[in-house]
């Protein structure tokens, strides 16, 4: 019978995980907004599903799908994606954690998609399917981890299943699916907390094997959390883990010696350090990149206020009750702040009502403010139990962070990287996990009190029944009226009848939660115990409410339509380039293009073609000279700003560089500066191509006639508006330069982290003399690049390097007729990889020691008096 229950829970967890992803898993559709593909190929607009515009959803195409395609392309050729020359003028690809370049689950799914007939599909299609399977995996992982965590507190299976659904199917895990690194990172938190509880339990019971095994599992789970890709969510999760560990260990203080608690704290710190060691290959390159990005700014009170003002206000908390009180992004009716995903805190109305009942009972039992007697077996002792302390601490931490409270002030100024975070509202996932834990506890205790019989029911129970019904009915009414009053003060033409009708229609699913709470309280107080069907009806209704929300929040695209769109866009672009006598892009060297746009918008469909990074999705080897990344390099953005009339990333663009088509003259100069082969200008849903560098072998590499030395790259950037093609501004130790007009260079092999250049001197009628020159490569300058020159004997020797024109790379070659190789292997990754390998060896050593200690040959039976208790039963180990 026990195995049937376990299999039933397993099937239920898989079914719940399928709820938001049923179209992706069962119909093989892709988690992409199909209507947005018209920005790649306008002629397909009539065949695409209409999709309401949500600027964040474009990230799923322009960032995560494009990045996954680029990562798979490099990995399929046996190269680690350290660098990409197809993004901007080159970008440290692996250093951006959101590319998930070192994330093991992504590698496993990518490997599975490369087997058999699936390997013959276009790379972009396989990358989209990888995103679909990873999204399903992370939802399932969040559900399983939350279920195990709640079960570890002794709560029944059905109650734990309901509590886990509040986290796995809540607004955070579902609304952020199209930006996969956020739910990917948060999905590991419940499992990590569960494993830490098992580790602490084994540590205090002196079970050496289990303590080592669970300690290793905890470190590995924390490593996955750090590698999953989103720094802000990882930082919030680390704060939650630290709080959880402190509460867990302090809860054991009355039963344990101070020395044991101190040893447990030391072991916990050691496991955190082990996780950082295992993820060092990702963390160190990311820490090197962070201060070089456009988000890195000086700390100030003004910046903190701007950050805190984006937190949840009293009106925003209404989304805890009604998820679509500000509209539904799926039908385009959302009118709230910034984005729906950032400001929706929904985890189920029924869940919220049960959590409030649990909080009320905890308060009356511990704070003694209410004379009403507590529920049977529901209250804690005068000291908080580990469960109540854990749930309350998680909720308080999440609420303080998400609301932008003063609690964030020391973190903003003292915690490295905190000032570069997005909206603080993203900490709501901690509150949702805590609400699920509280609701599960309430459901469990109410069920236990019901089974104890009518003789245990008294006036306190009747009062609790009234509280439950009042919450179930009153919360939606209060949220509707409260937000309506706020809107009536903002909108002169506000109409209450239309408002109430709209809210009721869009939030119809919450009535399942209302009915569940009413049914639960009625069954508890009035209905006979013989109606066993009601035992399953309440959890079913609570799950149905969350399933209603989750099933409608992920837009999908049909694979056949996606593949046809990409094929047509690639064919059209190649045809335009060939008409301008540009050679077909080869597999060895990509065509670097500079597309111009019209505009971008956060609220409506933009008027542009091939937005940044979309070229990475096409089959041909194209590179986009622009960029679209929250961590795009600051000096690359500064160069673009010089030729775009100001900030190339205004507020309406987010992190997207989009050059206006009106500035064609400046764009030609910019194209020569960054080494673009051609400029693409949209005209009535078509492309006008303007070729750059028609007389050069390669516009990316050139030998300047004249070199001017500057002390700082910023000085070079200030002089770039007056830059000429025959001049280079070099930031390096001055060396003699013998450049001549007509000297040429060509990039003949580009493998991202390895670039080969051939230098060809001008042909003269007199004897050619040996002359050293500066060779400029219009690729991004970044720490970790080294240049080598091939000498006449065939050996490669390192040569001096510098920064050219404030943003790109320059090398000093001793001979005009030579070959140069640029190699990217940053010290941050080398050191990080070394530390990661050391962490793996440490894990193996710890596991072997644990196995040896558990071996029967290692056990020695100690003789002791018959009246002495075994060592495992003593307070000390």
């Amino acid at each position: 019978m026990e195995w049937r229950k376990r299999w039933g829970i397993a099937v239920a967890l898989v079914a719940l995980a399928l709820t938001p992803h049923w179209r992706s898993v069962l119909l093989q559709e892709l988690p992409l907004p199909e209507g947005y593909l018209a920005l790649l190929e306008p002629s397909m607009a009539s065949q695409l599903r209409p999709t309401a515009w949500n600027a964040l959803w474009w990230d799923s195409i322009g960032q995560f799908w494009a990045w996954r395609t680029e990562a798979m392309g490099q990995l399929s050729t046996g190269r680690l994606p350290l660098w990409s020359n197809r993004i901007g003028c080159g970008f440290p690809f692996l250093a951006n954690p959101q590319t998930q370049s070192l994330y093991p689950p992504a590698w496993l799914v990518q490997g599975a998609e490369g087997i058999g007939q699936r390997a013959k599909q276009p790379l972009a299609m396989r990358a989209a399917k990888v995103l679909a399977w990873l999204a399903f995996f992370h939802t399932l992982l969040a559900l399983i981890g939350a279920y195990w965590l709640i079960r570890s507190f002794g709560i029944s299976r059905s109650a734990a299943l309901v509590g886990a659904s509040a986290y796995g199917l809540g607004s955070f895990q579902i609304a952020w699916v199209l930006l996969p690194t956020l739910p990917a990172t948060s999905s590991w938190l419940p499992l990590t907390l569960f494993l830490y509880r098992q580790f602490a339990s084994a540590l205090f019971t002196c079970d050496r094997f289990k303590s080592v095994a669970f300690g290793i599992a905890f470190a590995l789970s924390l490593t996955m959390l750090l590698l999953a890709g989103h720094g802000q969510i990882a930082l919030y999760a680390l704060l939650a883990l630290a709080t959880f560990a402190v509460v867990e260990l302090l809860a054991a203080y009355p039963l344990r010696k101070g020395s044991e608690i101190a040893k447990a704290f030391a072991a916990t710190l050691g496991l955190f350090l082990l996780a950082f060691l295992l993820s060092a290959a990702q963390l160190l390159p990311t820490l090197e990149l962070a201060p070089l990005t456009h988000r890195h700014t000086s700390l100030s009170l003004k910046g903190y206020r701007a950050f805190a003002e984006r937190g949840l206000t009293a009106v925003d908390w209404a989304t805890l009750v009604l998820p679509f009180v500000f509209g539904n992004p799926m039908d385009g009716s959302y009118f709230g702040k910034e984005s729906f995903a950032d400001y929706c805190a929904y985890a189920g109305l029924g869940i919220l009502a049960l959590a409030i009942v649990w909080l009320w009972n905890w308060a009356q039992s511990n704070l003694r403010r209410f004379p009403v007697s507590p529920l049977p077996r529901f209250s804690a002792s005068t000291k908080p139990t580990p469960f109540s302390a854990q749930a309350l601490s998680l909720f308080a931490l999440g609420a303080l962070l998400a609301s932008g409270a003063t609690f964030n002030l020391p973190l903003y100024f003292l915690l490295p990287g905190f000032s570069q975070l997005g909206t603080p509202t993203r900490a709501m996932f901690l509150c949702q996990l805590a609400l699920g834990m509280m609701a599960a506890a309430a459901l469990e205790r109410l069920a236990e009190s019901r089974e104890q019989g009518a003789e245990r029911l008294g006036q306190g129970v009747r009062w609790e029944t009234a509280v439950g019904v009042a919450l179930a009915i009153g919360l939606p009414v209060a949220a509707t009226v409260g937000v309506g009053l706020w809107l009536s003060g903002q909108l002169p033409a506000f109409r209450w009848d239309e408002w109430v009708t709209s809210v009721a229609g869009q939030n119809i699913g919450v009535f399942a939660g209302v009915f569940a709470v009413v049914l639960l309280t009625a069954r508890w107080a009035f209905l006979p115990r013989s109606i066993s069907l009601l035992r399953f009806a309440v959890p079913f209704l609570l799950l149905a409410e969350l399933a209603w929300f989750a099933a409608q929040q992920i837009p999908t695209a049909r694979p056949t339509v996606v593949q046809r769109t990409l094929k047509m866009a690639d064919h059209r672009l190649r045809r335009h380039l060939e008409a301008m006598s540009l050679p077909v892009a080869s597999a060895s060297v990509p065509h670097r293009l500079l597309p111009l746009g019209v505009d971008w918008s956060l609220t409506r469909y933009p008027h542009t073609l091939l937005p940044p990074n979309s070229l990475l999705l096409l089959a041909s080897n194209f590179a986009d000279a622009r960029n679209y990344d929250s961590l795009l390099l600051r000096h690359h953005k500064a160069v673009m700003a010089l030729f775009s009339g100001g900030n190339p990333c205004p507020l309406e663009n987010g992190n997207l560089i989009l050059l206006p088509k009106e500035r064609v003259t400046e764009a030609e100069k910019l194209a020569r500066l960054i080494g673009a082969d051609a400029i693409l200008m949209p005209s009535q849903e078509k492309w006008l191509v303007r070729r750059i560098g028609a007389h050069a072998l390669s516009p990316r590499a050139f030998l300047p006639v004249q070199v001017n030395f500057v002390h700082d790259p910023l000085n070079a950037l200030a002089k770039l508006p007056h830059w000429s093609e025959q001049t280079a501004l070099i930031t390096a130790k001055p060396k003699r330069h013998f450049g001549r007009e007509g000297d040429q260079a060509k990039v003949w092999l580009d493998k991202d982290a390895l670039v080969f250049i051939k230098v060809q001197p001008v042909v003269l009628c007199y004897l050619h003399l040996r002359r050293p020159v500066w060779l400029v490569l219009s690729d991004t300058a970044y720490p970790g690049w080294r240049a080598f020159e091939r000498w006449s004997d065939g050996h490669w020797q390192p040569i001096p390097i510098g920064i050219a024109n404030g943003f790109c790379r320059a090398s000093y070659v001793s001979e005009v007729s030579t070959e140069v190789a640029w190699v990217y292997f940053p010290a941050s990754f080398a050191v990080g990889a070394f530390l990661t390998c050391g962490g793996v060896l440490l894990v193996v050593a710890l596991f072997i020691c644990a196995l040896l200690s558990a071996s029967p040959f290692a056990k020695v039976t100690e003789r002791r008096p018959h009246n002495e208790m075994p060592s495992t039963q003593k307070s000390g180990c």
Side-chain angles (χ1 to χ4, degrees), residues 245-299:
V246 170
V247 173
E248 184 77 20
L249 297 180
L250 290 181
Y253 181 73
L255 304 177
R256 299 291 171 180
K257 296 179 180 179
S259 59
E260 294 181 57
I261 301 298
K263 290 179 181 179
F265 271 111
T268 301
L269 181 60
L271 292 178
F272 272 86
L273 293 177
L274 178 58
F276 287 125
L277 275 180
L278 292 171
S279 55
Q282 178 66 68
L283 295 181
L284 293 187
T286 300
L287 292 175
E288 182 182 47
L289 170 65
L292 301 177
T293 64
H294 76 126
R295 279 194 173 186
H296 184 74
T297 56
S298 58
L299 300 178

Side-chain angles (χ1 to χ4, degrees), residues 702-709 726 728 730 734-744 759-764 766-775 811-817:
F702 67 95
L703 293 135
V705 177
Q706 182 180 356
V707 168
N708 296 329
F709 293 95
Q726 303 296 325
I730 307 293
K735 293 180 180 295
R736 300 184 66 183
H737 174 74
F738 297 94
R740 291 176 181 169
E741 189 172 356
D743 291 340
Q744 294 183 344
V759 182
Q760 298 182 4
V762 61
V763 178
L764 301 176
Y766 52 86
L767 181 63
H768 170 66
L769 300 177
R770 182 182 182 90
R771 51 188 175 93
V773 293
W774 282 97
L775 170 64
S811 58
Y812 190 70
V813 297
S814 61
E815 173 58 53
V816 175
S817 181

Side-chain angles (χ1 to χ4, degrees), residues 144-188:
I144 293 175
Y147 173 80
W148 283 349
L149 175 64
I150 297 173
R151 283 281 290 159
S152 69
F153 290 100
I155 295 176
S156 65
R157 290 186 175 91
S158 59
L161 184 65
V162 172
S165 301
Y167 186 75
L169 300 182
S171 63
F172 188 89
Q173 287 295 131
I174 301 303
W176 285 107
V177 162
L178 294 190
L179 281 77
T181 55
L182 286 93
T185 305
S186 61
S187 66
W188 289 98

Side-chain angles (χ1 to χ4, degrees), residues 649-734:
C649 296
L651 179 62
E652 62 270 16
N653 286 22
N655 300 307
L656 178 146
I657 291 180
L658 191 70
L659 303 178
K661 71 172 184 176
E662 292 80 9
R663 309 184 69 88
V664 178
T665 304
E666 293 89 341
E668 290 184 2
K669 192 172 184 179
L670 175 62
R672 291 186 174 89
L673 183 65
I674 63 177
D677 294 290
I679 298 175
L680 305 181
M681 296 172 290
S683 177
Q684 297 180 354
E685 299 184 353
K686 296 182 180 180
W687 286 108
L688 297 179
V689 181
R690 183 167 298 190
R691 183 173 179 180
I692 304 297
H695 303 292
L697 293 176
S698 173
R700 278 178 62 186
F702 67 95
L703 293 135
V705 177
Q706 182 180 356
V707 168
N708 296 329
F709 293 95
V710 294
H711 296 288
D712 189 90
L714 295 178
N715 296 336
L717 290 174
K719 298 178 181 180
L720 278 185
H722 309 290
W723 171 82
S724 65
E725 295 182 64
Q726 303 296 325
T727 306
L729 304 171
I730 307 293
T731 304
K733 183 178 180 180

